[in-house]
Amino acid sequence: MEEKIIYIAGLGLIGGSLALGIKRRHPHYKILGYNRSDKSRIIALERGLVDEATDDFKAFAPLADVIILAVPIKQTITFLKILSEIDLKENVIITDAGSTKLEIVSAAEQYLTGRPVQFVGSHPMAGSHKSGAAAADVHLFENAYYIFTPSKLTGQQTIADLKDLLSGLQARFIEIEAAEHDRVTSQISHFPHILSASLMEQAGDYAAEHEMASRFAAGGFRDMTRIAESEPGMWTSILLTNKAAVLERISDFKQRLDSVAELISQNDENAIWDYFAKARQTRKEMEIHKRGGLESSFDIFVDVPDEEDVILEILELLRGTSLVNVHINEENREDINGILQISFKNANDLEHARQVITSKTAYKVFIE
């Protein structure tokens, strides 16, 4: 049986979860890990995420058949330069897990061209509010996009070999050019974080003079600003490595705000109605509730009354089922029920939940 050596630099949520996915499909592969902090290395070893771990990035690099850089973007670029100065295995595959791709791919081509190595950019589009090796989850990438961005150093077999290595993640692999990746993610990921943070900044300043703004903030405002709690360092790095695309999206949005402001100023009721109707239809047509082109956001909605222990009652019925998320969609009204939204990893768990809740309670259950 062929044994490969996989070297993962960065044993946090992403790197640790990659290790678990690789071990699930290739238990005989040896996984080596790098992490600067003692805590993550110890946890990674105790949980069996890696077979050996080091705080010296250079130590394991010459041994590896595949090197995965699961570290922040700027550190990824630094490590690519370091790898260009190390005697690596011939045809070693080097990849990363960064959220922006063009700067990383360009750095790889700059530093590694002329070396007998393969490089392809990667972006596993999954995450969690948790962090560190303790948060590593073998299910993290299931049904999520795992994007490859080829480079001049990507061979004919490079991506196929990575797909085999990462097949235990049960992700949905897709290839896209690095610059286009950054343009797309500037719209659907990077700019929304700016908008969310700006809403929180505005609301915070407003609440200083209007105290009830903080009390009434729920429902849609909460949903739109959830991602404002994201880690500041990571998002600073993302914005500064995708600057042109992000600035273009900001400029475009300013114009759209000015346009709707003009409609309101002119009391143009029909145009305002059309504005909201178009947004509503566009959202329905987008694959927001899909990942990998397939229905894989398995959500069930339960119409629940505002009574003590209702949620605990439902969750008790679902004991043993793999839940992804539990969310209450409430409105700023006291005379209506709330909607309990429960997300699952697969359709079987979704159907089981529907049957159990329907048969064991009187609550209305529906699936979008």
Side-chain angles (χ1 to χ4, degrees):
M1 180 177 293
E2 181 186 14
E3 179 176 310
K4 290 186 178 181
I5 298 177
I6 314 302
Y7 183 27
I8 300 177
L11 299 175
L13 171 70
I14 300 300
S17 299
L18 289 173
L20 288 173
I22 293 170
K23 282 182 173 292
R24 176 158 67 176
R25 189 58 56 89
H26 301 287
H28 55 289
Y29 284 6
K30 185 174 185 178
I31 299 184
L32 308 177
Y34 157 85
N35 210 84
R36 185 174 57 182
S37 74
D38 293 340
K39 181 178 179 181
S40 288
R41 292 198 309 275
I42 292 170
I43 293 173
L45 288 167
E46 288 177 346
R47 293 192 58 192
L49 306 182
V50 296
D51 299 296
E52 298 178 38
T54 181
D55 62 354
D56 177 6
F57 173 68
K58 296 180 181 180
F60 291 151
L63 307 176
D65 298 292
V66 178
I67 299 173
I68 301 174
L69 304 176
V71 292
I73 296 168
K74 292 299 185 182
Q75 190 174 2
T76 294
I77 292 171
T78 298
F79 280 177
L80 288 171
K81 186 174 188 301
I82 292 173
L83 289 174
S84 72
E85 302 165 351
I86 296 176
D87 186 17
L88 304 174
K89 280 188 177 179
E90 187 170 353
N91 288 324
V92 58
I93 295 177
I94 303 171
T95 190
D96 73 298
S99 298
T100 60
K101 295 270 59 83
L102 184 57
E103 192 162 326
I104 290 174
V105 168
S106 298
E109 292 176 345
Q110 175 186 349
Y111 295 128
L112 299 175
T113 294
R115 299 293 307 279
V117 304
Q118 307 172 70
F119 178 84
V120 59
S122 298
H123 180 195
M125 294 190 72
S128 169
H129 65 284
K130 300 177 182 178
S131 61
D137 181 0
V138 72
H139 303 292
L140 182 66
F141 304 107
E142 289 180 1
N143 294 313
Y145 277 128
Y146 200 106
I147 299 174
F148 295 117
T149 56
S151 74
K152 295 177 182 177
L153 302 172
T154 303
Q156 292 184 346
Q157 191 63 25
T158 307
I159 293 177
D161 287 344
L162 279 176
K163 287 181 178 179
D164 176 71
L165 174 70
L166 302 171
S167 57
L169 304 180
Q170 298 178 10
R172 303 199 178 277
F173 300 113
I174 188 170
E175 298 176 35
I176 187 173
E177 192 262 338
E180 180 64 8
H181 167 278
D182 288 358
R183 285 190 288 265
V184 170
T185 52
S186 74
Q187 174 64 62
I188 53 88
S189 177
H190 307 164
F191 176 70
H193 276 79
I194 295 173
L195 184 58
S196 178
S198 297
L199 280 170
M200 284 309 310
E201 181 184 46
Q202 182 190 49
D205 290 344
Y206 197 71
E209 297 183 8
H210 305 275
E211 179 184 355
M212 299 306 290
S214 293
R215 294 193 184 185
F216 292 165
F221 182 84
R222 181 205 54 218
D223 292 343
M224 289 186 68
T225 56
R226 176 184 57 81
I227 56 176
E229 296 185 13
S230 298
E231 203 280 314
M234 179 183 76
W235 281 99
T236 300
S237 180
I238 287 172
L239 297 186
L240 293 181
T241 54
N242 198 21
K243 185 162 58 174
V246 169
L247 289 174
E248 191 277 331
R249 290 294 82 200
I250 292 174
S251 176
D252 177 86
F253 198 76
K254 287 179 180 177
Q255 296 175 28
R256 294 176 187 274
L257 286 179
D258 288 340
S259 295
V260 72
E262 183 65 20
L263 298 180
I264 297 170
S265 177
Q266 295 176 354
N267 294 314
D268 193 336
E269 183 176 348
N270 290 333
I272 294 171
W273 189 94
D274 288 341
Y275 169 79
F276 284 109
K278 181 180 178 182
R280 182 183 186 187
Q281 185 60 35
T282 299
R283 191 180 194 281
K284 287 182 177 180
E285 293 172 356
M286 289 185 72
E287 295 186 353
I288 291 175
H289 298 296
K290 298 181 181 181
R291 285 181 289 179
L294 297 176
E295 288 288 358
S296 50
S297 180
F298 301 105
D299 296 336
I300 192 169
F301 300 85
V302 187
D303 198 354
V304 294
D306 184 14
E307 296 177 359
E308 187 176 357
D309 293 337
V310 167
I311 296 176
L312 290 177
E313 173 193 358
I314 293 174
L315 294 181
E316 183 63 30
L317 292 174
L318 301 178
R319 182 183 292 274
T321 305
S322 179
L323 304 182
V324 175
N325 195 19
V326 178
H327 180 68
I328 301 173
N329 301 320
E330 82 273 13
E331 298 289 343
N332 290 326
R333 290 177 53 187
E334 296 180 355
D335 59 336
I336 59 174
N337 290 347
I339 301 295
L340 178 63
Q341 178 181 347
I342 308 174
S343 303
F344 301 91
K345 277 290 185 183
N346 56 64
N348 289 336
D349 286 342
L350 175 68
E351 178 58 24
H352 170 73
R354 186 191 66 79
Q355 292 179 4
V356 169
I357 297 172
T358 300
S359 63
K360 301 291 185 179
T361 75
Y363 308 137
K364 182 179 179 181
V365 176
F366 56 99
I367 300 170
E368 288 188 347

